[in-house]
C-alpha cells in the first residue's frame, strides 16, 4: 500500500532531506500568497476596492467643481456633487446619455427647474440665485467596467476620469 510522503513524518534524517524539495516549493507558494494578500489589503486600505482615501476625486474647470468616487460598486449608491457657477441666475448640467444608461439616477438635489434629454446628453437646469448652484446626485451603476463620465456645466466640459464599477 502506497503512502503519501508529505503526510508521513520522516523516520530518518535522509528522509527529511528527500522531502526538502517539496517543502521549499510549498514555502515559495506560501510566500507568493502572502504577497498577494498584502497587495489586496493595501489596495483595500487605500480605497482601490471601494471606499477609501484615494477614491474621491475633485475636478475643476474655472469656477465649476465636481467631486465623485473613482471606484464604485455595481448596484451600490454613489454620490456625485457639483458646484456650478450661475449664468443669468441659472446653472446647467449635462451628462452623457451613455452615462445615464449605465448609471441610474436615484436622487438629485435640488430639484431641477427643467430637465430634458437628447440623443447625446441629459440636461438639467437649476436655479442659482446666489451666483452658484450646489447640486448633489445619487447614482446607482448598473454595469461593470468604466463609466463614461464627461459632464458639461454651462456648456463647458469638466476634466474628469472614468469611474470604474466593480462587481
Amino acid at each position: 500500500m502506497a503512502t503519501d510522503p508529505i503526510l508521513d513524518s520522516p523516520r530518518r534524517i535522509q528522509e527529511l532531506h528527500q522531502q526538502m524539495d517539496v517543502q521549499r516549493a510549498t514555502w515559495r507558494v506560501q510566500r507568493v500568497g502572502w504577497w498577494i494578500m498584502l497587495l489586496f489589503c493595501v489596495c483595500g486600505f487605500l480605497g482601490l476596492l471601494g471606499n477609501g482615501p484615494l477614491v474621491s476625486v475633485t475636478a475643476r474647470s474655472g469656477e465649476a467643481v465636481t467631486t465623485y468616487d473613482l471606484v464604485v460598486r455595481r448596484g451600490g449608491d454613489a454620490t456625485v456633487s457639483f458646484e456650478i457657477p450661475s449664468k443669468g441666475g441659472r446653472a446647467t448640467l449635462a451628462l452623457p446619455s451613455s452615462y445615464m444608461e449605465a448609471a441610474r439616477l436615484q436622487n438629485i438635489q435640488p430639484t431641477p427647474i427643467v430637465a430634458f434629454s437628447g440623443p447625446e446628453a441629459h440636461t438639467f437646469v437649476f436655479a442659482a440665485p446666489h451666483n452658484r448652484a450646489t447640486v448633489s446626485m445619487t447614482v446607482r451603476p448598473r454595469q461593470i467596467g468604466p463609466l463614461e463620465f464627461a459632464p458639461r456645466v454651462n456648456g463647458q466640459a469638466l476634466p474628469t476620469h472614468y469611474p470604474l464599477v466593480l462587481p
Side-chain angles (χ1 to χ4, degrees), residues 2-22:
T3 60
D4 190 354
I6 295 176
L7 298 177
D8 290 342
S9 60
R11 294 179 184 16
R12 296 178 306 202
I13 196 73
Q14 289 84 9
E15 291 179 26
L16 181 65
H17 288 296
Q18 290 172 354
Q19 293 179 4
M20 283 305 290
D21 293 336
V22 174

Side-chain angles (χ1 to χ4, degrees), residues 44-108:
F45 178 73
L46 295 175
L48 301 176
L49 302 176
N51 294 336
L54 294 182
V55 175
S56 186
V57 176
T58 301
R60 298 176 189 275
S61 178
E63 293 183 32
V65 179
T66 184
T67 304
Y68 59 98
D69 288 339
L70 268 180
V71 180
V72 293
R73 297 276 185 191
R74 184 180 138 250
D77 290 343
T79 303
V80 182
S81 61
F82 296 91
E83 292 283 331
I84 306 170
S86 71
K87 276 189 164 180
R90 308 239 169 152
T92 306
L93 171 64
L95 298 170
S97 294
S98 59
Y99 178 77
M100 296 301 287
E101 291 170 7
R104 182 178 191 180
L105 182 62
Q106 296 295 108
N107 187 15
I108 188 166

